[in-house]
Amino acid sequence: MATPHINAKDGAFAETVLMPGDPLRAQMIAETFLEGAEQVTNVRNVFGYTGTYKGKRLSVMAHGMGIPSASIYTTELIKDYGVKNIIRIGSCGAVTPNIKLRELFIAMGASTDSKVNRMRFNDHDYAAIADYTLLRTLVDTAAEQGKKVTVGNVFSADLFYGVQPNMLDVLSKMQVNVIEMELAGIYAVAAQYGARAAGILTVSDIIPTGEATSAEERQTSFRDMMEVALDAAIK
Ligand code: ADE
């Protein structure tokens, strides 16, 4: 049955859904990497597709920007469409220049300045973590492909503009080396509704220096990340 934000038929999604932030990226992934991909939902132009990859059924759907948007789509996919595995594929900003542009980063945990997990967890601090099996599959797949990845704690920020300057020092000191905007919410939604989630990110910018990937570099690093995510998704 359709939900307020997804108008797909029952059973329209595969057990595993790859989730970029951007709907057009979801469309591009479906057209480039999936065979026989069909669009299964388009509410608010947040596109979702199901097809096959190396013979296995696989879906891709955007989650939008920020924890509120990502929480809506992941909740409805898991609760109403029976999705079991969610792999976020996205970009992140590095907190220190020690992390290099285009690096692949797998999020073992996600810290946040959002209050959503305190709302879920009697106002205590919930440790938002990736599913271990999914995390390990991503790490192993990257190793098989000869790709270097960093595994660590990310910061899921509510503000893209306006992160306090001293926050970068705090994050760096606590070994939280990249910022993105969704995983703390996605990991908690997966836990709440009994699914598995993990995230793989490419470093698109170095926050303290303002350095950012060129369009061409973004394409290469995106492909590197997609190869890992796709092969991990069908294991
Ligand atoms: N995603 C990519 N770069 C980011 C940044 N600098 N802050 C938050 N999310 C990001």
Side-chain angles (χ1 to χ4, degrees):
M1 249 243 307
T3 65
H5 307 95
I6 301 176
N7 59 0
K9 296 197 181 97
D10 284 352
F13 288 95
E15 281 203 345
T16 300
V17 183
L18 297 180
M19 300 195 78
D22 176 359
L24 290 178
R25 188 141 270 197
Q27 181 182 40
M28 186 275 261
I29 291 166
E31 286 170 357
T32 310
F33 298 102
L34 300 188
E35 276 173 29
E38 283 183 19
Q39 192 182 91
V40 295
T41 181
N42 63 0
V43 178
R44 291 171 179 246
N45 287 334
V46 176
F47 307 130
Y49 301 83
T50 298
T52 61
Y53 178 71
K54 296 187 179 172
K56 299 235 173 97
R57 199 159 178 258
L58 185 62
S59 296
V60 54
M61 180 175 172
H63 59 51
M65 279 189 283
I67 287 175
S69 174
S71 299
I72 287 172
Y73 294 109
T74 50
T75 299
E76 293 180 8
L77 284 174
I78 297 166
K79 205 160 76 65
D80 300 293
Y81 286 96
V83 167
K84 304 276 183 253
N85 306 299
I86 288 186
I87 302 177
R88 161 159 154 73
I89 42 180
S91 61
C92 60
V95 165
T96 76
N98 302 338
I99 305 272
K100 301 293 170 222
L101 284 178
R102 300 188 340 218
E103 264 187 41
L104 292 179
F105 200 99
I106 295 176
M108 181 156 58
S111 305
T112 188
D113 54 7
S114 159
K115 212 188 159 201
V116 290
N117 292 341
R118 291 199 176 173
M119 291 194 263
R120 288 195 167 90
F121 205 56
N122 272 4
D123 209 30
H124 302 308
D125 291 326
Y126 178 73
I129 54 170
D131 172 79
Y132 178 70
T133 311
L134 217 44
L135 177 91
R136 190 167 166 177
T137 305
L138 284 167
V139 172
D140 289 348
T141 306
E144 282 158 24
Q145 294 180 6
K147 288 176 185 145
K148 177 185 174 292
V149 291
T150 303
V151 180
N153 201 347
V154 306
F155 187 66
S156 304
D158 265 355
L159 293 176
F160 183 85
Y161 300 106
V163 173
Q164 296 295 309
N166 82 324
M167 194 57 201
L168 296 184
D169 296 335
V170 172
L171 290 173
S172 174
K173 222 180 237 167
M174 294 299 287
Q175 316 295 327
V176 180
N177 286 322
V178 302
I179 304 187
E180 55 86 65
M181 299 188 75
E182 290 85 16
L183 281 169
I186 293 174
Y187 285 175
V189 165
Q192 182 172 356
Y193 296 103
R196 309 192 298 182
I200 180 164
L201 310 165
T202 61
V203 177
S204 61
D205 54 294
I206 313 292
I207 298 168
T209 63
E211 206 185 341
T213 43
S214 66
E216 200 186 320
E217 285 171 332
R218 273 201 296 280
Q219 274 309 108
T220 318
S221 56
F222 173 72
R223 186 165 267 281
D224 280 348
M225 174 177 68
M226 282 313 304
E227 286 165 358
V228 176
L230 285 161
D231 279 347
I234 57 164
K235 280 183 179 160

